[in-house]
Amino acid sequence: MEDVKYYTQEGLDALKQELSHLESVERPKISQAIAEARDKGDLSENAEYDAAKEAQGLLEMKIANLRNLISKARVLDESKIDVTKVLIYSIVKIKNTKNNAVMTYTIVPESESDFKAGKISVSSPIAKALIGNSKGDLVTVQAPVGAMEFEILEVSR
């Protein structure tokens, strides 16, 4: 079974941009560092050469992983997202029933999560509790501080 991951167009573009940067900027830098270390003489006792070769191996592994991710990536058609219940890529406005604090989150794949930007991972406790529920539902989230109850005020995309 192919391990397909869904992304917004923005998320996929960010992956492609990172891959491009690694291939066009970082790879030549490491090649240059290896060449400079090689020019310093005996490779058997050259720590700079060993470090550069190790960095090259790690970079190539990261490039291969990114290429693999991109090859399996699928862009989610956001216009087809059901807004009657909370799903991945839903924008959810919730209210803490204890202190009436209102928060808005977008539920995204782990690779796109950014709490400061209001994007929470689909695997986070809050997202897990919200998924499948609708506007008006009360959900309980098990948090480190104990159970918290939220009311879903709005679901959009």
Side-chain angles (χ1 to χ4, degrees), residues 94-114:
I94 58 175
K95 178 174 77 172
N96 183 322
T97 59
K98 193 171 189 175
N99 64 13
N100 291 324
V102 175
M103 297 148 278
T104 302
Y105 297 115
T106 302
I107 313 240
V108 297
E110 289 179 25
S111 60
E112 294 183 40
S113 68
D114 179 356

CSV table of all heavy atoms in Angstrom, one decimal, residues 94-114:
chain,number,residue,atom,x,y,z
A,94,ILE,N,-13.5,27.2,18.4
A,94,ILE,CA,-14.0,26.5,19.6
A,94,ILE,C,-14.0,27.4,20.8
A,94,ILE,O,-13.2,28.4,20.8
A,94,ILE,CB,-13.2,25.2,19.9
A,94,ILE,CG1,-11.7,25.6,20.1
A,94,ILE,CG2,-13.4,24.2,18.8
A,94,ILE,CD1,-10.8,24.4,20.5
A,95,LYS,N,-14.8,27.1,21.8
A,95,LYS,CA,-14.9,27.9,23.0
A,95,LYS,C,-14.6,26.9,24.2
A,95,LYS,O,-15.3,25.9,24.3
A,95,LYS,CB,-16.2,28.6,23.2
A,95,LYS,CG,-16.4,29.3,24.5
A,95,LYS,CD,-17.6,30.1,24.5
A,95,LYS,CE,-18.8,29.2,24.9
A,95,LYS,NZ,-20.0,30.0,25.1
A,96,ASN,N,-13.7,27.3,25.1
A,96,ASN,CA,-13.5,26.6,26.3
A,96,ASN,C,-14.7,26.8,27.2
A,96,ASN,O,-14.9,28.0,27.6
A,96,ASN,CB,-12.2,27.0,26.9
A,96,ASN,CG,-11.8,26.3,28.2
A,96,ASN,OD1,-12.7,25.9,29.0
A,96,ASN,ND2,-10.5,26.0,28.3
A,97,THR,N,-15.4,25.8,27.6
A,97,THR,CA,-16.6,26.0,28.4
A,97,THR,C,-16.4,26.4,29.8
A,97,THR,O,-17.2,26.9,30.5
A,97,THR,CB,-17.5,24.7,28.4
A,97,THR,OG1,-16.7,23.6,28.9
A,97,THR,CG2,-18.0,24.3,27.0
A,98,LYS,N,-15.1,26.2,30.3
A,98,LYS,CA,-14.8,26.6,31.6
A,98,LYS,C,-14.5,28.1,31.8
A,98,LYS,O,-15.0,28.8,32.6
A,98,LYS,CB,-13.6,25.8,32.1
A,98,LYS,CG,-13.4,25.9,33.6
A,98,LYS,CD,-12.4,24.9,34.1
A,98,LYS,CE,-12.3,24.8,35.6
A,98,LYS,NZ,-11.4,23.7,36.0
A,99,ASN,N,-13.7,28.6,30.8
A,99,ASN,CA,-13.3,30.0,31.0
A,99,ASN,C,-13.8,30.9,29.8
A,99,ASN,O,-13.4,32.1,29.7
A,99,ASN,CB,-11.7,30.1,31.1
A,99,ASN,CG,-11.0,29.6,29.8
A,99,ASN,OD1,-11.6,29.4,28.8
A,99,ASN,ND2,-9.7,29.4,30.0
A,100,ASN,N,-14.6,30.3,28.9
A,100,ASN,CA,-15.1,31.0,27.7
A,100,ASN,C,-14.1,31.6,26.7
A,100,ASN,O,-14.4,32.4,25.9
A,100,ASN,CB,-16.1,32.1,28.2
A,100,ASN,CG,-17.4,31.6,28.8
A,100,ASN,OD1,-17.8,30.5,28.4
A,100,ASN,ND2,-17.9,32.2,29.8
A,101,ALA,N,-12.9,31.1,26.8
A,101,ALA,CA,-11.9,31.5,25.8
A,101,ALA,C,-12.2,30.9,24.5
A,101,ALA,O,-12.5,29.7,24.4
A,101,ALA,CB,-10.5,31.0,26.3
A,102,VAL,N,-12.1,31.7,23.4
A,102,VAL,CA,-12.5,31.3,22.1
A,102,VAL,C,-11.2,31.2,21.3
A,102,VAL,O,-10.3,32.1,21.3
A,102,VAL,CB,-13.5,32.3,21.4
A,102,VAL,CG1,-13.7,31.9,20.0
A,102,VAL,CG2,-14.8,32.3,22.2
A,103,MET,N,-11.0,30.1,20.6
A,103,MET,CA,-9.8,29.9,19.8
A,103,MET,C,-10.2,29.4,18.4
A,103,MET,O,-11.2,28.7,18.3
A,103,MET,CB,-8.9,28.8,20.4
A,103,MET,CG,-8.4,29.2,21.8
A,103,MET,SD,-8.2,27.8,22.9
A,103,MET,CE,-9.8,27.6,23.5
A,104,THR,N,-9.4,29.7,17.4
A,104,THR,CA,-9.6,29.2,16.1
A,104,THR,C,-8.4,28.4,15.6
A,104,THR,O,-7.3,28.9,15.7
A,104,THR,CB,-9.9,30.3,15.1
A,104,THR,OG1,-11.1,31.0,15.6
A,104,THR,CG2,-10.2,29.8,13.7
A,105,TYR,N,-8.6,27.2,15.1
A,105,TYR,CA,-7.5,26.4,14.7
A,105,TYR,C,-7.8,25.8,13.3
A,105,TYR,O,-9.0,25.6,12.9
A,105,TYR,CB,-7.3,25.2,15.6
A,105,TYR,CG,-6.8,25.5,17.0
A,105,TYR,CD1,-7.7,25.2,18.1
A,105,TYR,CD2,-5.6,26.1,17.2
A,105,TYR,CE1,-7.3,25.6,19.4
A,105,TYR,CE2,-5.2,26.4,18.5
A,105,TYR,CZ,-6.0,26.2,19.6
A,105,TYR,OH,-5.6,26.5,20.8
A,106,THR,N,-6.8,25.6,12.5
A,106,THR,CA,-6.9,24.8,11.3
A,106,THR,C,-6.2,23.5,11.5
A,106,THR,O,-5.1,23.4,12.0
A,106,THR,CB,-6.1,25.5,10.1
A,106,THR,OG1,-6.7,26.8,10.0
A,106,THR,CG2,-6.3,24.8,8.8
A,107,ILE,N,-6.9,22.4,11.2
A,107,ILE,CA,-6.4,21.0,11.4
A,107,ILE,C,-5.6,20.6,10.1
A,107,ILE,O,-6.2,20.6,9.1
A,107,ILE,CB,-7.6,20.1,11.6
A,107,ILE,CG1,-8.5,20.7,12.6
A,107,ILE,CG2,-7.1,18.7,11.9
A,107,ILE,CD1,-8.8,20.0,13.9
A,108,VAL,N,-4.4,20.3,10.3
A,108,VAL,CA,-3.5,20.1,9.2
A,108,VAL,C,-2.7,18.8,9.5
A,108,VAL,O,-2.6,18.3,10.6
A,108,VAL,CB,-2.5,21.3,9.0
A,108,VAL,CG1,-3.2,22.5,8.6
A,108,VAL,CG2,-1.6,21.5,10.2
A,109,PRO,N,-2.0,18.2,8.4
A,109,PRO,CA,-1.1,17.1,8.6
A,109,PRO,C,0.0,17.5,9.6
A,109,PRO,O,0.4,18.7,9.7
A,109,PRO,CB,-0.6,16.8,7.2
A,109,PRO,CG,-1.5,17.4,6.3
A,109,PRO,CD,-2.1,18.6,7.0
A,110,GLU,N,0.7,16.5,10.2
A,110,GLU,CA,1.8,16.8,11.1
A,110,GLU,C,2.8,17.7,10.5
A,110,GLU,O,3.4,18.6,11.1
A,110,GLU,CB,2.4,15.5,11.6
A,110,GLU,CG,1.5,14.8,12.6
A,110,GLU,CD,2.1,13.4,13.0
A,110,GLU,OE1,3.3,13.3,13.1
A,110,GLU,OE2,1.3,12.6,13.4
A,111,SER,N,3.1,17.4,9.2
A,111,SER,CA,4.2,18.1,8.6
A,111,SER,C,3.9,19.6,8.4
A,111,SER,O,4.8,20.4,8.1
A,111,SER,CB,4.5,17.5,7.2
A,111,SER,OG,3.4,17.5,6.4
A,112,GLU,N,2.7,20.0,8.5
A,112,GLU,CA,2.3,21.4,8.2
A,112,GLU,C,1.9,22.1,9.5
A,112,GLU,O,1.6,23.3,9.5
A,112,GLU,CB,1.1,21.5,7.3
A,112,GLU,CG,1.5,21.0,5.9
A,112,GLU,CD,0.3,21.2,4.9
A,112,GLU,OE1,-0.4,22.2,4.9
A,112,GLU,OE2,0.1,20.3,4.0
A,113,SER,N,2.0,21.4,10.7
A,113,SER,CA,1.5,22.1,11.9
A,113,SER,C,2.4,23.2,12.3
A,113,SER,O,3.6,23.2,12.1
A,113,SER,CB,1.4,21.1,13.0
A,113,SER,OG,2.7,20.6,13.4
A,114,ASP,N,1.8,24.3,12.8
A,114,ASP,CA,2.5,25.5,13.3
A,114,ASP,C,1.6,26.2,14.3
A,114,ASP,O,0.7,26.9,13.9
A,114,ASP,CB,2.8,26.4,12.1
A,114,ASP,CG,3.5,27.7,12.5
A,114,ASP,OD1,3.7,27.9,13.7
A,114,ASP,OD2,3.8,28.5,11.6
